Amino acid sequence: MALYLLIFSAIVVTCIFFNKFSGKIGIPVLLFFLMLGLLCGSQNDGFASQWAWIVGKISTIALIFIMFYGGFGTRWKSARPVVVEAGLLATVGVALTAVLVGLFCHFALGWAWLESFLMGAVISSTDAATVFSILRTRKLGLKNNSAPLIEVESGSNDPMSYMLTAVMLSLFNGGITAGGIVWQIFSQIAFGVAGGLAISGAAVFFLKKINFQSNGFDMLLFIAIALVSYALPDLIGGNGYLSAYIVGIVLGNSEFPGRRPLVSIFDAVTSLMQIVIFFLLGMLAVPSNLLHSLLPALIIFIFISFAARPLAVGAILSPFRKYPFRQLGLISFVGLRGAASIVFAINILTSGVELQNDIFSIVFCIVLASIALQGSLVPAVAKATGMTDAGEDVMTTFSDFSEKAEMSFGAIRIKETSSWKNRHIKDLDLPQDCIIALVVRGDMRIVPKGSTMLEAGDEVVLCTRSFQGRNTDNLVQHTLSENSKWAGHRVCEYPKKDGNLLVMIQRGDEKIIPNGNTILKAGDILVLLK
């Protein structure tokens, strides 16, 4: 037991380390865990046959949290303008992609009809958690509502893929009629939606009434809600993943104490769940099978990326006439394959159906190619298509964004040597979320306009968002004694430690914002930010 706990802890620590490392080199961290699982599994003959069922159950639980977070992390105010298009992509788009892939597998690769469309169903959805991670970590602002459209589509299209996979497996097992298929589809959607709305309504009512006395219990409650949102509809024949997404998006956009911090917590939980899925996928994979499946997997991956996905996106979004061709190209490219496809492939592996082709290994290779190539190139493709927007804050599309952020005022004085001297305000390269609120010139108070020219001696009042981080808690004070050797020296000569910054000098009743030429005096209180 101790050994397993040690291994699990090592995986979590490695996750944190490689997540930071991968951001610098542009390689998604999940690729590392996929390969790590493959390496571990190759050392354990028979792991796939012995543990596939248990791995399937663990992966299903992990996908519940991924689906829940897909809704919980989405800000409805940003998503509302594109909800129709995103909904069509998540349903009709997924079905169209599955059909196109099925036709391709049958006619180009010579697969049987049922097996072809089973492959299409499994690989038809896109990955929400990876898309969220790329947009958040890269702060990738996109034009024309591209970010919320991609987020809502990727967060809500797994239920459709799951439903198609379930229907195809029913056809494989036989004994199901056309009426049975219609009922299965209807019950999946109807009970999934009804269950999601009922559970989310009850949860919101409960959360507004309860007051947690101890930190951490709210997180435990949310874990329970996420699990119930899947389990209850699934027991009555509904789509549990669809219900989990609906509950997530309702709770993520409802007001109750402690909501915003939960987004970051679920972000971390979802990352861990993805690691679990990708690591277990690697454990189940057999290297020799992967080699045999590599060629058909690459062929299918190329077809999905450059034919099926673009055709589905174009067919659905083109009639709206507000999406230029370059935007359609970006949305098509961001159709990453990931965790859901893996879970559905594991379900096929444990279903006992007889297949002519190793769909599990083929999905493994497709997901590997999608993460390694598409995941790494999303920022570059966004830039190449001209869809990046430095003025667009992608964080506004997530539910932990708040428009009620506190504002702070500061003042600077324009000196003779200032680069702002004799310049119009409209010509200044001001940072985002920063404006000039007032210009004080002698006894005059000037309400600034773009044409206002700044002069030497002006005091400029700036307004910006208050800092929301925790680093400002680390302020320390140091008093220069009468015998201090630094009394009489300039600030630029004062010894600096890595990470320390001298932010203020308290001299009697006077507070001094220092620069390099400020002379230190005995009795000064130095305020340092560590």
Side-chain angles (χ1 to χ4, degrees):
M1 180 66 179
L3 177 61
Y4 291 118
L5 290 176
L6 183 62
I7 292 173
F8 178 77
S9 301
I11 289 174
V12 173
V13 172
T14 307
C15 159
I16 297 171
F17 171 76
F18 272 93
N19 190 46
K20 195 164 186 175
F21 180 70
S22 67
K24 295 181 179 179
I25 63 177
I27 300 176
V29 68
L30 294 176
L31 183 61
F32 166 78
F33 287 98
L34 198 64
M35 302 309 295
L36 181 62
L38 181 61
L39 178 63
C40 295
S42 65
Q43 307 301 316
N44 188 358
D45 294 336
F47 180 86
S49 58
Q50 295 173 12
W51 296 94
W53 184 83
I54 259 184
V55 167
K57 298 303 179 184
I58 294 174
S59 299
T60 296
I61 294 173
L63 186 58
I64 293 170
F65 288 100
I66 292 173
M67 284 299 306
F68 183 84
Y69 175 69
F72 195 78
T74 300
R75 185 168 176 253
W76 180 247
K77 183 177 180 180
S78 299
R80 189 187 299 118
V82 294
V83 70
V84 174
E85 298 97 305
L88 289 173
L89 285 174
T91 52
V92 180
V94 168
L96 185 55
T97 301
V99 169
L100 291 172
V101 172
L103 292 172
F104 178 79
C105 289
H106 178 74
F107 289 107
L109 302 180
W111 291 17
W113 278 111
L114 286 180
E115 199 162 324
S116 297
F117 287 113
L118 179 61
M119 180 72 225
V122 170
I123 206 69
S124 57
S125 67
T126 59
D127 189 65
T130 304
V131 170
F132 278 33
S133 176
I134 291 172
L135 294 178
R136 287 180 76 103
T137 56
R138 303 295 182 89
K139 290 186 169 50
L140 199 60
L142 301 175
K143 297 178 181 178
N144 199 27
N145 283 329
S146 295
L149 176 59
I150 292 168
E151 290 163 18
V152 177
E153 183 222 352
S154 62
S156 61
N157 61 13
D158 292 339
M160 185 66 178
S161 180
Y162 170 76
M163 186 169 62
L164 294 175
T165 302
V167 169
M168 293 310 302
L169 286 176
S170 298
L171 290 174
F172 258 102
N173 293 324
I176 186 170
T177 63
I181 293 176
V182 172
W183 169 251
Q184 187 177 13
I185 294 174
F186 172 79
S187 62
Q188 285 267 318
I189 297 174
F191 296 153
V193 171
L197 293 176
I199 294 169
S200 60
V204 170
F205 176 81
F206 183 69
L207 287 168
K208 288 183 177 180
K209 297 293 183 182
I210 193 171
N211 183 21
F212 293 99
Q213 299 298 323
S214 300
N215 293 331
F217 280 96
D218 51 350
M219 183 60 191
L220 292 176
L221 176 61
F222 265 80
I223 290 175
I225 291 173
L227 294 175
V228 169
S229 68
Y230 170 87
L232 193 57
D234 188 68
L235 283 174
I236 59 176
N239 193 315
Y241 295 120
L242 177 59
S243 173
Y245 178 78
I246 292 173
V247 173
I249 201 166
V250 171
L251 294 185
N253 290 273
S254 300
E255 290 297 331
F256 53 85
R259 177 185 62 84
R260 287 186 63 202
L262 285 171
V263 180
S264 298
I265 295 174
F266 266 105
D267 192 15
V269 170
T270 301
S271 296
L272 181 59
M273 294 299 102
Q274 275 198 303
I275 287 167
V276 169
I277 291 177
F278 277 78
F279 181 78
L280 293 176
L281 172 65
M283 289 284 287
L284 288 178
V286 179
S288 59
N289 292 347
L290 296 180
L291 290 176
H292 288 101
S293 304
L294 183 59
L295 182 58
L298 290 177
I299 293 172
I300 296 172
F301 169 70
I302 292 171
F303 177 78
I304 294 175
S305 303
F306 299 102
R309 169 74 177 175
L311 284 173
V313 170
I316 291 169
L317 295 185
S318 294
F320 287 92
R321 300 183 181 280
K322 61 180 180 180
Y323 298 101
F325 181 77
R326 55 196 177 90
Q327 186 175 12
L328 297 180
L330 175 64
I331 294 171
S332 299
F333 188 83
V334 184
L336 279 70
R337 313 294 140 174
S341 297
I342 294 171
V343 175
F344 303 153
I346 294 174
N347 290 341
I348 292 174
L349 191 66
T350 59
S351 66
V353 299
E354 295 292 332
L355 301 173
Q356 297 298 315
N357 298 278
D358 187 357
I359 287 183
F360 174 80
S361 297
I362 291 173
V363 168
F364 181 101
C365 295
I366 291 174
V367 170
L368 185 66
S370 183
I371 294 174
L373 299 177
Q374 287 176 282
S376 303
L377 293 175
V378 166
V381 171
K383 185 176 181 180
T385 54
M387 290 303 299
T388 56
D389 186 355
E392 182 71 23
D393 186 0
V394 73
M395 300 306 293
T396 62
T397 65
F398 295 100
S399 58
D400 56 341
F401 175 80
S402 175
E403 293 179 331
K404 300 177 181 178
E406 294 183 1
M407 306 302 291
S408 294
F409 290 92
I412 61 173
R413 188 170 296 278
I414 306 299
K415 298 182 178 181
E416 290 289 344
T417 57
S418 173
S419 61
W420 285 13
K421 177 187 172 184
N422 296 332
R423 293 185 64 184
H424 295 102
I425 289 178
K426 65 181 180 181
D427 297 328
L428 301 178
D429 187 18
L430 292 173
Q432 189 177 358
D433 296 331
C434 178
I435 64 169
I436 295 178
L438 184 68
V439 177
V440 180
R441 183 173 297 162
D443 295 331
M444 297 174 54
R445 298 166 62 88
I446 303 171
V447 177
K449 300 178 181 178
S451 58
T452 303
M453 179 177 288
L454 300 178
E455 300 178 1
D458 285 352
E459 187 173 17
V460 178
V461 180
L462 300 169
C463 179
T464 187
R465 290 183 182 274
S466 298
F467 181 61
Q468 300 297 319
R470 296 173 295 175
N471 291 339
T472 50
D473 295 338
N474 300 327
L475 289 173
V476 296
Q477 294 184 354
H478 172 65
T479 303
L480 290 182
S481 66
E482 293 291 338
N483 301 324
S484 174
K485 65 178 181 179
W486 300 110
H489 286 262
R490 299 178 186 274
V491 166
C492 62
E493 299 171 329
Y494 188 76
K496 300 179 181 64
K497 295 181 180 179
D498 290 340
N500 286 4
L501 176 67
L502 177 59
V503 295
M504 189 180 74
I505 299 174
Q506 178 80 41
R507 184 173 294 164
D509 294 331
E510 184 182 8
K511 291 182 173 62
I512 301 171
I513 304 298
N515 58 44
N517 293 321
T518 303
I519 303 296
L520 299 174
K521 296 183 179 181
D524 282 352
I525 300 174
L526 310 184
V527 181
L528 300 165
L529 177 63
K530 299 184 68 176

